[in-house]
Amino acid sequence: MVHLSRVKRGKQAQKPQQEQDQGESAASPYVYGTHYATEELPEHVMSEREMPADVAFRLIKDELSLDGNPLLNLASFVTTYMEDEAQNLMTDAMSKNFIDFEEYPQTAHIQNRCINMIAHLLNAPTTEGDGELDTIGTSTIGSSEAIMLATLAMKKRWQNKRKAEGKDWTRPNIVMNSAVQVCWEKAARYFDVEEKYVYCTDTRYVIDPKTAVDMVDENTIGICAIMGTTYTGQYEDVKAINDLLKAKNIDCPIHVDAASGGFVAPFVRPELEWDFRLEKVVSINVSGHKYGLVYPGVGWVFWRSPEYLPEELIFNVNYLGSNQATFTLNFSKGASHVIGQYYQLIRLGKHGYRSIMQNLTKTSDYFADELKKLGFLIMSDGNGRGLPLVAFRMKPDDDRLYDEFALAHVLRQRGWIVPAYTMAPHSNQLKLMRVVLREDFTIHRCNILLEDIKAALKSLQEMDAEMIQKYTLHLRAHSAKKLPQQHAHYKNEKHSLQGKTGKTHGVC
């Protein structure tokens, strides 16, 4: 049975004026019915008056919807997925200042548990007794800070030794691959250490151990070796560098930048010797927010023993209520990410991490095989011999009208962020693309990407030269408009590797 209702008219439909006014004033304004919807958001000067919380939330959320989808960002190594339980724990801890050990002692205990668990993954040496000579470590905001701290420790230890021998201590240098992440350039520049590069070639994209050891002199504070380069994801041969230093009786430490590979190699290639099992490796950094599976904001750095972390770099403070030692570039930081790291370590355990990393390795091998069928050249190492990523480029072809950058632009229209860039100096005429596989990159999504790559290639092949040129120029101009512009004063710098050689740092 249908209920019929009578429509009221005239005076019957009107409420008393007082009652109507009270109802309107009590009601919360609809966001898009407020005057804020017709005004530009503040960009340069704070507004004089407050804005309702729901309006501010909605307008910012709307603007952020213009960002790319993190799940389709295949340029970044940084974690884009965590379970709700982990996110809830991290949200609850957002107001905690990690450095305040007196107020938040359990958070400090959790950091120490993380340090012990990760150090054991790196085969950290331990001693009997009170453990004063055991491996030590600390959390950082990321691997960039960790690398800064490790560089400072190597420099200070070298200077102390030179001063004790009555030798010049003012000209330190460090040996590294030209394919290092930009934070190594920063560390050397910020702390007045000369950069000595082992350059890549057209066929070698990692450090050459013999060349690196031959470059060591009395002023070398250490050699940087990378477990998972940003460009191609390859592991550098740390053991070969270690063995050459020992064979030549050269007293030079190795720092291993395992920002990406530190949470991968122990589970996929446990037999590979690159960590504290090697005598010359004195410090290692890893990123919790990469394959450590935590959202961006946490890294870890370890030293073989206190001998390699000079005492004068450590500061003891007590103005937070208890005595504590600190060695960081930044004092205050949130506790959320350390807690997020602990959640992942106990939630997944070794079996969970091993399953994820092995799945990613299988998927990356499958993706590389499919790209080969499409005619691409693979520049990364498969079968667990490098990171679970695929670096690839097109075969040389003078008749082809498009390049890797054009393909990246077409894929961007579909939502995929697949970076195209040039290789490191001395091989930077090579163009390549790279897909980083993170834990949420399933085989199903991989096949969707492959279909979109096929479709993109087909559309590019159907364009003539004039259309290709107009298309790429339009897309590059459109992309440039969306990005924050570089400050004009620093636009033409010539001191960095990019400024000197025109190479780009692969997106990290």
Side-chain angles (χ1 to χ4, degrees):
M1 180 177 182
V2 178
H3 177 73
L4 300 176
S5 178
R6 178 184 172 190
V7 177
K8 297 182 179 181
R9 295 181 297 170
K11 293 181 180 179
Q12 293 178 320
Q14 295 179 1
K15 293 182 180 179
Q17 187 65 37
Q18 183 178 4
E19 179 185 346
Q20 191 176 34
D21 291 345
Q22 287 177 348
E24 289 181 1
S25 63
S28 176
Y30 186 70
V31 172
Y32 301 112
T34 66
H35 66 89
Y36 299 104
T38 60
E39 298 174 359
E40 183 59 80
L41 285 173
E43 292 188 7
H44 306 293
V45 180
M46 291 174 63
S47 58
E48 291 294 331
R49 301 297 300 273
E50 306 91 334
M51 180 184 289
D54 59 335
V55 176
F57 171 81
R58 188 71 239 178
L59 294 181
I60 295 174
K61 185 176 177 67
D62 287 351
E63 182 169 352
L64 290 176
S65 68
L66 300 175
D67 278 343
N69 183 346
L71 298 182
L72 302 182
N73 180 4
L74 305 180
S76 178
F77 291 88
V78 175
T79 298
T80 54
Y81 165 79
M82 293 184 76
E83 293 176 317
D84 290 343
E85 292 81 358
Q87 295 188 78
N88 291 338
L89 282 171
M90 294 172 72
T91 300
D92 290 344
M94 285 183 69
S95 61
K96 291 184 179 180
N97 185 6
F98 172 78
I99 202 67
D100 196 344
F101 295 167
E102 173 72 9
E103 187 69 22
Y104 310 116
Q106 290 313 121
T107 299
H109 285 306
I110 283 175
Q111 179 207 231
N112 293 340
R113 295 173 198 170
C114 291
I115 287 171
N116 277 273
M117 291 180 187
I118 299 170
H120 279 92
L121 284 180
L122 307 178
N123 292 287
T126 57
T127 58
E128 300 294 333
D130 57 17
E132 286 188 2
L133 298 179
D134 285 350
T135 298
I136 54 176
T138 186
S139 63
T140 61
I141 296 174
S143 272
S144 290
E145 183 187 10
I147 284 165
M148 302 283 178
L149 298 178
T151 301
L152 275 176
M154 287 190 291
K155 177 184 175 182
K156 182 61 66 175
R157 184 169 177 267
W158 172 83
Q159 286 180 327
N160 289 344
K161 179 183 177 184
R162 298 285 289 180
K163 289 176 183 179
E165 295 171 348
K167 298 178 180 178
D168 176 57
W169 50 273
T170 62
R171 296 180 295 123
N173 67 62
I174 186 167
V175 176
M176 51 190 174
N177 181 5
S178 63
V180 290
Q181 212 268 348
V182 71
C183 62
W184 279 101
E185 279 194 84
K186 291 181 179 180
R189 194 65 48 83
Y190 294 169
F191 302 132
D192 291 321
V193 178
E194 178 192 356
E195 304 140 82
K196 297 180 73 172
Y197 290 111
V198 178
Y199 287 98
C200 297
T201 69
D202 290 345
T203 57
R204 175 181 52 77
Y205 315 122
V206 292
I207 200 168
D208 176 59
K210 183 179 184 304
T211 303
V213 172
D214 288 344
M215 293 176 74
V216 173
D217 58 31
E218 63 180 5
N219 294 320
T220 301
I221 66 172
I223 299 175
C224 162
I226 310 171
M227 283 298 288
T229 65
T230 304
Y231 289 93
T232 60
Q234 293 170 291
Y235 296 151
E236 298 192 322
D237 195 342
V238 188
K239 188 175 187 303
I241 298 173
N242 176 85
D243 293 349
L244 281 170
L245 289 172
K246 289 176 62 178
K248 295 188 175 185
N249 196 28
I250 298 175
D251 182 17
C252 177
I254 299 172
H255 174 86
V256 180
D257 179 358
S260 299
F263 277 100
V264 178
F267 300 110
V268 179
R269 295 287 300 277
E271 76 284 355
L272 185 63
E273 294 183 47
W274 60 271
D275 49 26
F276 286 121
R277 284 171 288 184
L278 302 177
E279 177 186 328
K280 295 295 184 179
V281 173
V282 303
S283 52
I284 301 174
N285 69 278
V286 297
S287 282
H289 60 223
K290 292 184 180 176
Y291 288 106
L293 307 183
V294 183
Y295 288 142
V298 64
W300 304 90
V301 60
F302 302 86
W303 289 269
R304 175 179 288 274
S305 72
E307 171 190 354
Y308 300 100
L309 180 52
E311 187 176 353
E312 61 264 43
L313 294 177
I314 308 300
F315 292 86
N316 293 294
V317 297
N318 64 4
Y319 48 76
L320 291 178
S322 65
N323 288 316
Q324 60 191 72
T326 175
F327 180 39
T328 57
L329 296 181
N330 195 69
F331 194 64
S332 295
K333 68 176 178 181
S336 299
H337 294 84
V338 170
I339 292 170
Q341 183 72 81
Y342 186 58
Y343 173 89
Q344 296 290 55
L345 291 174
I346 67 171
R347 163 74 174 93
L348 295 171
K350 291 182 179 179
H351 181 269
Y353 271 94
R354 187 179 300 113
S355 298
I356 291 170
M357 302 310 161
Q358 289 179 346
N359 278 350
L360 290 177
T361 299
K362 291 177 184 177
T363 304
S364 65
D365 288 347
Y366 167 78
F367 183 60
D369 289 341
E370 294 301 307
L371 287 176
K372 288 178 186 176
K373 295 176 185 177
L374 295 177
F376 289 100
L377 298 175
I378 307 302
M379 301 174 70
S380 48
D381 292 334
N383 195 29
R385 291 177 289 112
L387 297 177
L389 67 77
V390 181
F392 57 100
R393 62 188 177 96
M394 298 175 180
K395 291 181 179 179
D397 184 355
D398 294 335
D399 295 328
R400 188 177 56 244
L401 300 175
Y402 56 90
D403 63 5
E404 289 81 356
F405 288 89
L407 177 58
H409 283 304
V410 178
L411 290 174
R412 186 63 182 261
Q413 290 184 306
R414 175 76 161 120
W416 299 105
I417 302 174
V418 181
Y421 49 92
T422 54
M423 262 302 293
H426 293 201
S427 58
N428 54 333
Q429 75 280 5
L430 293 176
K431 301 174 184 177
L432 69 155
M433 302 177 72
R434 187 194 65 207
V435 168
V436 178
L437 282 72
R438 298 187 302 276
E439 65 170 316
D440 55 4
F441 192 80
T442 61
I443 199 74
H444 178 67
R445 192 181 303 168
C446 178
N447 282 320
I448 294 174
L449 174 59
L450 285 166
E451 289 303 314
D452 285 342
I453 290 175
K454 293 175 185 177
L457 289 171
K458 185 175 184 296
S459 66
L460 287 169
Q461 289 163 0
E462 292 173 351
M463 294 183 188
D464 59 23
E466 184 179 358
M467 180 62 72
I468 287 280
Q469 185 178 17
K470 288 181 179 179
Y471 179 75
T472 53
L473 286 175
H474 169 74
L475 286 174
R476 289 175 186 177
H478 180 67
S479 298
K481 287 180 181 178
K482 296 197 300 180
L483 297 174
Q485 295 300 302
Q486 182 180 357
H487 195 292
H489 183 75
Y490 303 103
K491 190 173 182 180
N492 297 312
E493 59 85 10
K494 298 296 182 184
H495 60 270
S496 69
L497 270 175
Q498 178 167 330
K500 292 175 182 176
T501 66
K503 77 127 187 182
T504 60
H505 283 285
V507 177
C508 184

